[in-house]
Amino acid sequence: MTRPHMLVIAAALGVAFSQTVLAAPAAVLAGNPLATASSLPFHYPAFDKIKDEHFIPAFNEGMRQQLKEVDAIVNTKAAPTFANTIVAMEKSGALLIRVQTVFYNLQGANTNDKLDAIDSEMSPKLAAHNDAIFLNPKLWARVKSLYEKRDSLKLDAESRHLLERYHTDFVRSGANLSAADKDKLKVINGDIAKLQTAFTQNVLKETNASSLVVDSRAELAGMSDAAIDAAAAAAKAKGMDGKFLVAVVNTSGQPPLAELTNRATREKLMALSLARGSHGGEFDSRELVLKIAKARADKAALLGYANFAAYSLEDQTAHDTASVNKLLGELAKPAVNNAKKEAADLQAVVDAEKGGFQIGAADWAYYTDKVRAQRFAFDENQLKPYFELNNVLTNGVFYAANKLYGLSFKERKDLPVYNPDVRVFDVFDADGKQLAIFIADMYARSNKQGGAWMNEYVSQSSLNGTHSVVANHLNIPKPPAGEPTLLTYDEVKTAFHEFGHALHGMFSNVKYPRFSGTSVPRDFVEYPSQVNEMWAVWPEVLSNYAKHYKTGAPMPKELLDKVIASKKFNQGFMTTEYLAASLLDQRWHQLTPAQIPTDVLGFEAQSLKEMGVDFAPVPPRYRTTYFSHSFSGGYSAGYYAYLWSEKLDADTVEWFKENGGLQRKNGDWFRAKLLSRGGTDDAMNLFRNFRGRDPVIEPLLERRGLK
């Protein structure tokens, strides 16, 4: 996924705050490394100089400066032109964009109590700051007047699209509302910002607080000795010497469930995972969920939409709730039927072993590995010795990018990092010129948000003369000192996936920062990253990186053949858990203000049942109370996007295969027609320009075993 941050084109926190900010002298940033663009290559952030205390003064001064720039735009006596209004807005807020980008990237990847407190303080102020620009009637009048005569302005295609996007952004931000309704919207936006921030922080703290703690090594039987040793060290670090601590990740399923032979331990871990945010205590998120759902529904109603999903989807390639409901609804029944068939296969193994229990959510991963071993004569642990992290990254991910796009990479140790485990690479284009800087932050930490994502510290723009500084973040458990980092197959795919986002950012070749890189609809942004996953098992790529970490021996062909043959295996489970979360996301956001329930878990259970995905052995990939994609703001009413994008992805994979696969001519075409274009055109137009037609769904159905 990409991790979006707040749109930073605008300013205001109401009159009182606005006046205070405007009064602040620029001198408050004396000695602040955020005050000016970094002097490091490509404006790479000076992480060694940036301190927590630098952020609030820089935020405030950034808002003050942008307000001043906006005032200059609206108060000029010159008639509105594209240059003095739209381009001027694109150039505004340089300081605020810089501080916001660095802050939110660090707050996701390397947070602490101070950064969390700053986030809580600044998020409503930034929301109000945003409102001040988009709800500024004079600025709106200038944008509207240009939009109405756009046909006569003789703009190039990218500039015209920028004008149209600004018009859309203003309308969707409430520019056409009455003064009274604008005031209501400002309050709602401030509330949403505060609530989303609280939810995000709750999820991380609850995840850390929900770690599994056991008393003996025997309870962790099945896990490797190195993993058990790491659990002992983690417990000791928490003051629980002699015990064992297994951290929880932010999905319903937990990686150790595939290995733990002790069913009681599996059930305890699964129960801890599923209960997060809903069992009382300091980090219970149920009340936050209800408040967020209500505030979003109120916002949609105020803006004239039936519900928040209708508001959100209007600006996506899906366009409306009917289209999303149709896609998800059509796949739900066959997915669950497949999952039930898979459950029967798992139950057969349990019965053969005289287990004496019905297969449950805690058992699925463990017995899936057994069935996989029977059916394909291998298990996941056979793969891991061939998936050493550095080999996967440099000889896999980077190698594929070299073969397909001509990129080369050189690690550098001289640039500062915010954590010693972070690696930095210069990225060079096929002509030898430096294209970007790539940051690889691969290991899990207790102060790092869960999941995997890409973000940018600097976005490419010819208007600003900037190149991309892009980062990938994974959450791979760090082994004990001296031990190799061996990945699961899913972690390998994730590394290729996130680098697909990175390529989207690095290849950006646009003029305006509004369109840079991954600035595309949510249900399109996952598409290029999903396409990049195909190279993980492409024979030429895999043979270059899948080598035994001890012997250097290549992965045996018969093992690879089994991996490829098993790609449709367990698709019923994977599709059902994803659909259940996607449908929950839609159900919450298709409510009107009057329909907001009072019982979060009751509503969740009822919704899963009504949608036909209430199959207990396969819980949603995210339950409501730890569903960060949905309730932290980034993918609200948009979690379906992965499946929507996968339709495009599956069709594109077929195109690559039809045209010879891993060849420069194919990479160059994909780059020129789609990856380099960012948001400069309608997303589906970009796809059609690349593919030559609209996407078809058959490759997706075939991939997921649903045909």
Side-chain angles (χ1 to χ4, degrees):
M1 66 175 284
T2 58
R3 185 174 294 275
H5 52 75
M6 298 178 64
L7 188 60
V8 286
I9 178 180
L13 320 164
V15 175
F17 183 82
S18 176
Q19 290 173 342
T20 301
V21 173
L22 284 168
V28 298
L29 296 191
N32 190 320
L34 295 167
T36 58
S38 168
S39 61
L40 295 173
F42 285 22
H43 303 308
Y44 179 95
F47 292 118
D48 55 335
K49 297 178 181 177
I50 298 170
K51 308 299 181 187
D52 296 344
E53 57 267 23
H54 292 141
F55 285 111
I56 288 181
F59 268 123
N60 287 338
E61 177 62 14
M63 288 187 284
R64 188 197 73 83
Q65 288 185 15
Q66 192 171 29
L67 280 173
K68 185 177 180 180
E69 292 161 346
V70 169
D71 284 344
I73 295 171
V74 300
N75 292 322
T76 181
K77 294 181 179 179
T81 65
F82 182 78
N84 71 18
T85 301
I86 304 301
V87 175
M89 291 171 67
E90 278 290 276
K91 291 181 176 180
S92 73
L95 171 58
L96 181 58
I97 291 171
R98 182 164 58 250
V99 62
Q100 221 177 338
T101 302
V102 173
F103 175 79
Y104 281 108
N105 289 345
L106 285 178
Q107 206 255 342
N110 202 52
T111 195
N112 57 49
D113 290 343
K114 290 183 179 179
L115 293 184
D116 286 348
I118 293 170
D119 187 19
S120 297
E121 177 181 345
M122 296 309 302
S123 59
K125 294 179 178 179
L126 289 166
H129 177 73
N130 211 51
D131 284 340
I133 291 181
F134 284 112
L135 300 181
N136 184 316
K138 290 183 179 180
L139 186 58
W140 167 230
R142 295 180 72 87
V143 172
K144 187 176 181 181
S145 69
L146 290 169
Y147 177 79
E148 289 173 346
K149 57 182 181 183
R150 61 194 181 281
D151 292 336
S152 64
L153 296 179
K154 298 181 180 180
L155 300 173
D156 61 81
E158 185 177 347
S159 297
R160 180 186 173 103
H161 192 56
L162 181 67
L163 173 57
E164 292 169 345
R165 280 306 318 175
Y166 265 93
H167 181 268
T168 297
D169 291 343
F170 270 85
V171 171
R172 288 175 52 78
S173 296
N176 282 325
L177 294 177
S178 67
D181 283 345
K182 285 180 181 179
D183 288 340
K184 292 179 184 177
L185 183 61
K186 291 175 184 178
V187 173
I188 294 172
N189 284 341
D191 289 344
I192 290 174
K194 287 185 287 189
L195 292 166
Q196 289 177 171
T197 297
F199 185 90
T200 300
Q201 295 180 11
N202 257 30
V203 168
L204 178 59
K205 292 173 182 176
E206 173 75 326
T207 297
N208 289 332
S210 298
S211 299
L212 172 69
V213 179
V214 298
D215 297 322
S216 66
R217 296 182 73 92
E219 292 172 273
L220 299 182
M223 293 173 60
S224 68
D225 287 340
I228 297 175
D229 289 343
K236 185 175 182 179
K238 295 280 189 180
M240 295 180 285
D241 203 1
K243 295 183 182 292
F244 302 83
L245 184 148
V246 177
V248 173
V249 299
N250 193 37
T251 51
S252 295
Q254 300 296 318
L257 291 172
E259 303 171 330
L260 291 164
T261 60
N262 187 315
R263 187 168 191 250
T265 305
R266 292 200 305 269
E267 288 186 313
K268 185 177 179 182
L269 178 58
M270 189 81 248
L272 282 171
S273 178
L274 294 177
R276 279 174 292 149
S278 64
H279 57 90
E282 184 180 358
F283 309 127
D284 194 299
S285 291
R286 285 174 290 184
E287 192 63 30
L288 284 171
V289 165
L290 296 176
K291 289 179 178 179
I292 291 170
K294 175 65 162 58
R296 289 175 177 168
D298 285 338
K299 176 175 179 173
L302 188 62
L303 291 169
Y305 294 87
N307 50 60
F308 187 81
Y311 165 75
S312 178
L313 294 173
E314 180 192 56
D315 207 33
Q316 305 301 312
T317 64
H319 293 309
D320 54 53
T321 57
S323 298
V324 174
N325 291 345
K326 182 174 184 293
L327 175 68
L328 299 180
E330 286 177 345
L331 295 179
K333 186 174 181 179
V336 173
N337 286 342
N338 275 10
K340 289 180 177 178
K341 291 176 184 177
E342 292 165 1
D345 292 339
L346 305 185
Q347 189 64 48
V349 177
V350 173
D351 294 344
E353 295 179 349
K354 302 189 185 304
F357 59 86
Q358 288 296 308
I359 200 82
D363 308 306
W364 193 285
Y366 181 74
Y367 283 94
T368 290
D369 270 4
K370 290 198 170 199
V371 173
R372 182 188 285 110
Q374 290 178 359
R375 191 168 299 173
F376 302 103
F378 84 98
D379 62 40
E380 288 286 346
N381 288 326
Q382 287 179 268
L383 300 176
K384 293 179 73 171
Y386 298 95
F387 294 153
E388 189 274 327
L389 174 59
N390 188 63
N391 262 345
V392 170
L393 181 63
T394 59
N395 296 321
V397 174
F398 291 173
Y399 176 81
N402 173 260
K403 291 298 182 181
L404 196 61
Y405 303 110
L407 300 185
S408 58
F409 304 81
K410 182 179 181 181
E411 187 165 11
R412 55 190 305 171
K413 305 284 190 178
D414 58 318
L415 292 177
V417 291
Y418 52 84
N419 183 281
D421 292 330
V422 173
R423 301 173 70 182
V424 183
F425 299 83
D426 284 336
V427 185
F428 299 94
D429 216 335
D431 61 4
K433 294 181 180 178
Q434 187 169 356
L435 177 71
I437 293 177
F438 174 68
I439 299 170
D441 180 358
M442 298 301 189
Y443 289 116
R445 295 184 292 275
S446 62
N447 65 339
K448 184 179 183 181
Q449 295 292 335
W453 69 93
M454 163 272 196
N455 57 27
E456 288 187 304
Y457 285 93
V458 182
S459 299
Q460 179 275 331
S461 163
S462 64
L463 180 69
N464 293 335
T466 52
H467 298 274
S468 178
V469 177
V470 64
N472 276 175
H473 304 272
L474 275 66
N475 265 280
I476 299 166
K478 187 177 180 181
E483 294 287 333
T485 303
L486 303 180
L487 308 188
T488 65
Y489 178 53
D490 283 345
E491 287 168 338
V492 171
K493 286 200 305 180
T494 299
F496 277 85
H497 175 102
E498 295 305 331
F499 197 73
H501 286 307
L503 290 170
H504 204 178
M506 292 189 289
F507 284 152
S508 178
N509 185 21
V510 304
K511 181 175 183 179
Y512 302 111
R514 173 68 174 78
F515 294 145
S516 182
T518 58
S519 299
V520 298
R522 275 194 311 263
D523 54 7
F524 194 81
V525 75
E526 297 299 334
Y527 154 51
S529 55
Q530 290 173 336
V531 170
N532 206 59
E533 291 179 27
M534 72 178 289
W535 308 117
V537 293
W538 196 260
E540 180 184 348
V541 178
L542 188 131
S543 65
N544 198 62
Y545 76 85
K547 299 177 180 179
H548 199 283
Y549 77 98
K550 286 184 177 178
T551 66
M555 178 183 287
K557 183 178 184 300
E558 57 269 24
L559 183 56
L560 173 60
D561 289 343
K562 291 171 184 176
V563 172
I564 294 174
S566 71
K567 286 179 72 175
K568 293 180 186 176
F569 179 70
N570 206 37
Q571 280 292 332
F573 171 89
M574 289 188 284
T575 305
T576 299
E577 69 158 2
Y578 168 76
L579 283 174
S582 299
L583 287 161
L584 275 179
D585 177 43
Q586 288 301 313
R587 183 59 66 96
W588 277 108
H589 291 107
Q590 289 184 28
L591 297 172
T592 67
Q595 293 172 331
I596 303 298
T598 57
D599 178 4
V600 170
L601 300 187
F603 177 79
E604 178 180 279
Q606 178 186 352
S607 297
L608 294 174
K609 183 176 182 180
E610 290 176 355
M611 296 180 295
V613 288
D614 58 332
F615 184 42
V618 186
R621 181 169 176 80
Y622 300 97
R623 294 194 69 190
T624 300
T625 51
Y626 49 88
F627 200 169
S628 294
H629 287 76
S630 185
F631 290 97
S632 292
Y635 281 70
S636 51
Y639 192 62
Y640 76 94
Y642 292 90
L643 188 61
W644 193 273
S645 292
E646 192 181 350
K647 176 181 175 181
L648 309 181
D649 154 41
D651 199 5
T652 299
V653 168
E654 292 305 307
W655 179 89
F656 272 103
K657 291 178 178 177
E658 291 164 5
N659 288 277
L662 190 73
Q663 296 186 29
R664 274 291 305 280
K665 67 180 181 69
N666 292 337
D668 289 347
W669 179 260
F670 193 43
R671 175 178 177 175
K673 293 295 182 180
L674 198 142
L675 293 179
S676 66
R677 298 291 309 281
T680 57
D681 195 359
D682 175 83
M684 292 310 297
N685 283 342
L686 295 178
F687 179 87
R688 294 183 194 102
N689 291 339
F690 156 71
R691 190 67 168 101
R693 58 163 170 76
D694 285 333
V696 295
I697 199 169
E698 284 73 17
L700 171 62
L701 299 178
E702 176 68 24
R703 173 188 291 184
R704 287 192 171 254
L706 300 175
K707 200 167 184 180

